[in-house]
Amino acid sequence: MCCAAGCKWCSLKSAKKYPVGVYYRGVEENTSVQWTGLPAEIWVKIMGYISHSELVELTVSCSYLQHVAADTSIWNKITVSGKDLTDAHLQAVGEKCPKYLAFTSCNGEKLSTLGFRSLFRNCSTTLKGLTISDCKGGDLVTASLLLHLSARCRDLTSLHLSLCNLGDEALTQLAQRTHRLEQLCIPMCSGVSDTSFRVLLQRHYRHLTCLDITGCYHISNVAISQISLCPNLTSLYLGNCNQITSETLRTYSSKLNKLLTLDIRGCKNVSSESVMSLLAANPHIHTLSLSHVSMVNDSLLEQIARTLLSLHVLDLSGCIKVTSVGIQYLVKHPISALDLGSTAISFRGCCAIANYLCTTLKQISFNFCSDVNDECVRKVVQKCKKLERISIFGCSYIRNFNALNRLNASLVLDF
């Protein structure tokens, strides 16, 4: 029953003009509609389309909706974005007992250990995944959070931390206390070294399906080579792990055969032969990043085109030896996202992209491609009807931006 007469979410009073989103506009005047008459299942479905902050405001307006919102399925996945977090926020989130929790672009300067204890105590038996990205301030981006997490949430299976001040002690505690860690993404966590990484692999190597150690400079090649012990790994991100060698990739090729995503951007000490041996062992890879890998050239792209028949996403930015010849080998695959920044692609390569990827391409980058001009880009935009975003930073020969918008009004243009 409604908490008060005239609740805007529950009844419709006669009016000559009905506010959109509050009243049903098709109802005649002097007619009362009880929104509470809708089945709770429909309300749960509706609530799934609004943000959690809006959902809180909605539940305050009506006791019936507050009752419906108590359904735990609505709060299984909670995302908190752009907030100056306090301990009260963490306590309120914890009381909802989410399975998956994400903090993005939040400020944690006002947080204390009391907030973390309350959060992880309340969802200790339910929390399966935690993501913290683009956050700053306080213990939200330090090892303190991870220590509180590992002390209580032992059923955690997924952890994504980006640019956090994570050290060996915290990662070791997490590895030892969690039962089954399946996804670990710690890009740019430079405080992690061999000590904790080996503990992690020894305990969870059978369970890991996704591992991201991009920019973890203090993990040695010897420790990285032990990733080959993970038989169920499907996503592997080794970007800017400069210590990795060709021999390590050869070791992977004999042990890892379920990879679908591979990122070795910035790995300068690997050979084309070792890369191809790994790709040949994993022919179902659909996402590949070879950005700023110096040995990538047209010959290697020809071999990749023959091996990876399911390739959808490819990053070749910074591969200065790649020309239009190599691009022509690749475009016969259903690629939806392609980064060609700083390559030597010319009009010939752009024509191949326009002709062969016209039904699949959604995103493309030509950043700092000196030979790309207005005609090149116009041809791609005109023929690729599904194109959503194009990046042309540093392309000095492209000047007619308005013409591109006229060809595709919904196109996002980065320049």
Side-chain angles (χ1 to χ4, degrees):
M1 199 169 175
C2 182
C3 58
C7 171
K8 67 178 182 179
W9 295 99
C10 298
S11 62
L12 174 63
K13 289 189 173 182
S14 59
K16 293 183 178 180
K17 189 174 183 180
Y18 305 112
V20 176
V22 176
Y23 304 123
Y24 179 61
R25 292 182 292 175
V27 179
E28 297 180 359
E29 294 183 19
N30 303 318
T31 303
S32 178
V33 173
Q34 293 294 326
W35 290 102
T36 52
L38 290 174
E41 292 81 4
I42 294 180
W43 273 114
V44 170
K45 188 71 174 177
I46 294 172
M47 291 176 178
Y49 289 101
I50 64 177
S51 68
H52 290 99
S53 59
E54 293 171 332
L55 182 57
V56 171
E57 294 178 7
L58 178 61
T59 57
V60 171
S61 68
C62 174
S63 60
Y64 173 73
L65 296 181
Q66 187 176 29
H67 172 73
V68 173
D71 190 306
T72 55
S73 64
I74 298 175
W75 305 97
N76 277 343
K77 296 182 180 180
I78 296 180
T79 299
V80 182
S81 181
K83 293 286 187 181
D84 288 327
L85 296 175
T86 64
D87 290 345
H89 287 136
L90 297 190
Q91 181 176 354
V93 170
E95 289 172 352
K96 298 300 181 182
C97 300
K99 289 184 178 180
Y100 299 95
L101 176 60
F103 295 103
T104 61
S105 304
C106 291
N107 188 340
E109 291 180 352
K110 299 178 182 179
L111 294 177
S112 70
T113 56
L114 294 177
F116 291 126
R117 287 175 184 171
S118 176
L119 169 64
F120 296 129
R121 185 189 302 116
N122 286 324
C123 57
S124 60
T125 60
T126 60
L127 192 64
K128 301 294 184 183
L130 176 65
T131 298
I132 298 179
S133 63
D134 299 324
C135 294
K136 62 180 181 179
D139 289 339
L140 189 61
V141 291
T142 66
S144 177
L145 175 140
L146 207 57
L147 292 172
H148 287 290
L149 173 68
S150 58
R152 292 175 174 83
C153 302
R154 303 198 174 189
D155 292 326
L156 193 78
T157 61
S158 174
L159 180 64
H160 296 249
L161 302 178
S162 139
L163 287 171
C164 290
N165 187 17
L166 177 64
D168 280 334
E169 180 186 359
L171 186 58
T172 299
Q173 291 287 342
L174 179 75
Q176 291 177 338
R177 293 182 177 180
T178 50
H179 301 142
R180 185 187 178 93
L181 197 59
E182 297 176 1
Q183 298 183 20
L184 179 66
C185 299
I186 50 173
M188 309 307 295
C189 293
S190 56
V192 176
S193 71
D194 290 5
T195 304
S196 57
F197 190 67
R198 283 174 172 161
V199 174
L200 171 78
L201 292 180
Q202 288 170 2
R203 181 165 174 80
H204 298 283
Y205 72 94
R206 294 186 185 90
H207 313 307
L208 280 172
T209 60
C210 176
L211 181 62
D212 184 352
I213 55 171
T214 300
C216 294
Y217 305 109
H218 294 107
I219 302 179
S220 71
N221 180 60
V222 175
I224 291 175
S225 65
Q226 294 179 4
I227 295 174
S228 62
L229 299 174
C230 305
N232 296 308
L233 206 60
T234 59
S235 299
L236 180 58
Y237 300 84
L238 300 172
N240 297 314
C241 292
N242 294 324
Q243 298 189 50
I244 193 171
T245 64
S246 297
E247 186 60 35
T248 299
L249 293 190
R250 294 189 191 97
T251 302
Y252 291 168
S253 64
S254 63
K255 301 288 183 65
L256 304 179
N257 55 19
K258 296 182 180 179
L259 291 179
L260 300 176
T261 299
L262 177 64
D263 184 344
I264 54 171
R265 69 183 66 196
C267 296
K268 300 177 180 179
N269 298 319
V270 296
S271 66
S272 57
E273 179 272 329
S274 63
V275 171
M276 279 311 306
S277 68
L278 180 56
L279 297 183
N282 296 271
H284 299 296
I285 286 177
H286 56 66
T287 301
L288 177 64
S289 176
L290 299 173
S291 173
H292 292 90
V293 178
S294 57
M295 56 77 190
V296 176
N297 55 25
D298 293 338
S299 177
L300 179 64
L301 294 187
E302 181 181 9
Q303 297 178 63
I304 291 175
R306 293 175 179 174
T307 304
L308 304 183
L309 303 182
S310 302
L311 194 60
H312 290 287
V313 179
L314 180 61
D315 184 357
L316 297 172
S317 59
C319 298
I320 59 177
K321 297 178 182 179
V322 170
T323 70
S324 294
V325 175
I327 300 303
Q328 288 177 305
Y329 295 125
L330 294 168
V331 293
K332 296 181 182 179
H333 298 303
I335 295 176
S336 60
L338 183 60
D339 192 337
L340 298 172
S342 299
T343 61
I345 187 174
S346 62
F347 181 74
R348 180 182 176 186
C350 291
C351 288
I353 291 171
N355 292 330
Y356 287 96
L357 300 182
C358 56
T359 60
T360 61
L361 191 65
K362 295 182 179 180
Q363 297 182 32
I364 191 167
S365 171
F366 292 118
N367 294 337
F368 301 101
C369 291
S370 57
D371 294 328
V372 173
N373 55 29
D374 282 323
E375 182 63 18
C376 296
V377 178
R378 185 194 65 78
K379 196 168 189 66
V380 172
V381 173
Q382 188 175 38
K383 290 210 170 184
C384 298
K385 302 299 183 182
K386 293 185 178 180
L387 193 63
E388 300 172 356
R389 180 182 292 269
I390 184 170
S391 297
I392 48 176
F393 288 105
C395 296
S396 56
Y397 291 108
I398 299 178
R399 298 183 177 88
N400 196 355
F401 304 112
N402 292 331
L404 300 178
N405 287 324
R406 286 194 295 269
L407 289 172
N408 185 343
S410 61
L411 182 67
V412 177
L413 191 62
D414 299 324
F415 61 93

